[in-house]
Amino acid sequence: MRTGKDDISGWLVRPAERYLWAVSAAVPAAIAASAARSAPDGGMDNAIVVRAARTWLAGGSPYDDPHFLYLPSAVPAAVPEALLPGAVLRVLVPCAVTALLVLAWGCALRLHGVPLRSRLAALGPLALAAGFAPFGHLVRLGNWTVVAVVALPLCLLLASRGRWTAAGAVVGAAVALKPLLAPVALLFVFARRPRALAAAVLPPVLASAAAALLMPDPAGFVTRTLPFLLHGDDGFVRFYEASPAAVLPRLGVPAVFAEGAALLAAGAGVLCAYLRWRRADPGPGRLAETGAGLMLSAFLVSRPSYDHYLLVVLPVLLAGLPAAGSAARRPGFWIALVPQVPGVPWPWLEAERRRAFKDAFTLCVLAVTVAGRARAGSGPPGGEGRAGGARETVRAPATPF
């Protein structure tokens, strides 16, 4: 993309000043330090996985805990954490989650060809940490969603460089740890990349099968976890789910209609993602918006669906801000983020168990905004980069500093 001196994009891609880097580093570090002081075992969600690994090491089944929603392959992966004392996990996990979120932002920037020394690169972690509440939630929870947050932009970056099999392997490794990124497999179907699809599917299947054979309840994921995921009838997590299938019944809509609406919305989202891919316009926007569209469609119907899942798609969309016609330049993108600004006391939504209404608003508006990019001609001609889907390069105007 080419930017002019008078355009905000030109300012964003120029080298960042040192003070900007200092401020951008301070805010995420403060959030990590705060989480380390207040979250034992590295966060509530991380503690669930660690407890499952310790149960397995003691000869029990990790699926005795109904809140353990991971594939069997995640249990051996959590063993190193299970062997560490709680005092170490308390500091290590929030720091690692924060570092991985920053890494995800770096991958998203490179996907869109934005220089890593640019102002946008420096402002990203600051904006996400200070202006997007799920960032802090994810750090405090220590949830393994962070693996998907990193894997999606890394996968899309590799695909943009023609390394589709490696992109599939990244998705496969992420799914083996947490199956959140499974919908991205449809991207390989759209792109007709069977090797990439195999690299995404086979590793988690083989790793989970091998790990399941080492457990006292080999079919625990199928007999216990899948029914929970399909029905989402847990009384505790229901109040924190952002899917319309969970939120609409709280407004009086019959559950069957809510689930039907969510399924229709998810199907429409997948169709729009396919149409976005079929547009085949140049530049990384095609990959970013197709991948984000698939994930948002899944979040519309998945049970559970939490606020920190939004971080999976936000970096890859936000990093495209300098590109003319990108989803991040649409009003809906910024309107969707308004309820996630920390510290704003929205009337009747102040209670923690009511924040799901804000999360559902963000999820639905983001999904509609990204789906709108499926329409041909929604961006200026040639505004997204070179032909053939190659990675675009941001060319900042010459500056004296």
Side-chain angles (χ1 to χ4, degrees):
M1 90 190 64
R2 296 182 180 274
T3 59
K5 291 185 178 181
D6 296 331
D7 191 272
I8 183 63
S9 301
W11 185 88
L12 286 173
V13 299
R14 292 186 181 118
E17 296 79 3
R18 291 183 179 179
Y19 75 84
L20 196 57
W21 285 112
V23 174
S24 183
V27 175
I31 292 177
S34 176
R37 293 183 59 194
S38 60
D41 294 331
M44 180 180 72
D45 288 356
N46 184 70
I48 293 174
V49 187
V50 172
R51 187 165 58 246
R54 289 172 177 166
T55 299
W56 177 60
L57 291 174
S61 172
Y63 294 102
D64 288 341
D65 184 351
H67 293 138
F68 181 70
L69 306 178
Y70 299 75
L71 293 172
S73 53
V75 178
V79 167
E81 280 195 76
L83 300 176
L84 294 175
V88 175
L89 291 177
R90 186 172 187 166
V91 176
L92 178 63
V93 172
C95 292
V97 171
T98 304
L100 288 173
L101 289 171
V102 174
L103 175 61
W105 176 242
C107 292
L109 290 169
R110 295 314 302 143
L111 167 65
H112 290 279
V114 178
L116 295 179
R117 296 178 58 190
S118 65
R119 290 186 176 120
L120 181 59
L123 286 170
L126 174 62
L128 291 172
F132 192 64
F135 184 101
H137 298 166
L138 184 58
V139 174
R140 287 193 295 273
L141 292 171
N143 193 285
W144 283 26
T145 294
V146 71
V147 175
V149 176
V150 177
L152 180 61
L154 179 57
C155 159
L156 299 178
L157 174 61
L158 290 169
S160 72
R161 296 179 175 180
R163 300 174 61 184
W164 283 92
T165 303
V170 168
V171 173
V175 171
L177 295 177
K178 183 169 183 175
L180 188 63
L181 218 59
V184 177
L186 284 175
L187 174 63
F188 306 132
V189 176
F190 295 168
R192 299 181 181 179
R193 300 284 179 167
R195 291 184 180 179
L197 181 61
V201 173
L202 291 179
V205 170
L206 296 177
S208 293
L213 293 176
L214 302 176
M215 296 179 184
D217 184 11
F221 180 82
V222 176
T223 60
R224 302 188 189 186
T225 301
L226 280 183
F228 176 89
L229 293 174
L230 292 174
H231 298 292
D233 55 0
D234 185 270
F236 173 74
V237 303
R238 185 185 303 122
F239 294 104
Y240 302 95
E241 294 185 72
S243 167
V247 171
L248 290 178
R250 296 176 66 181
L251 297 174
V253 178
V256 64
F257 292 115
E259 292 173 0
L263 281 170
L264 288 175
V270 171
L271 176 61
C272 288
Y274 176 68
L275 294 176
R276 178 66 183 93
W277 178 258
R278 284 289 303 272
R279 271 177 51 192
D281 52 340
R286 180 191 186 196
L287 279 166
E289 291 164 6
T290 301
L294 289 171
M295 292 306 303
L296 289 168
S297 300
F299 297 157
L300 286 171
V301 74
S302 65
R303 304 288 303 273
S305 183
Y306 301 126
D307 66 333
H308 51 78
Y309 288 6
L310 297 169
L311 277 165
V312 176
V313 301
L314 192 57
V316 298
L317 295 175
L318 183 60
L321 182 60
S326 66
R329 288 204 176 191
R330 294 198 163 205
F333 177 83
W334 299 100
I335 293 172
L337 302 184
V338 170
Q340 303 302 330
V341 176
V344 179
W346 296 96
W348 299 288
L349 300 178
E350 299 93 344
E352 184 65 23
R353 288 190 169 192
R354 291 186 176 181
R355 72 157 294 115
F357 294 105
K358 298 188 292 184
D359 302 332
F361 175 86
T362 299
L363 170 59
C364 292
V365 176
L366 269 183
V368 171
T369 301
V370 174
R373 290 287 292 144
R375 184 167 53 89
S378 58
E384 289 196 274
R386 296 189 298 270
R391 180 173 59 92
E392 66 181 334
T393 302
V394 177
R395 294 178 173 84
T399 60
F401 52 88

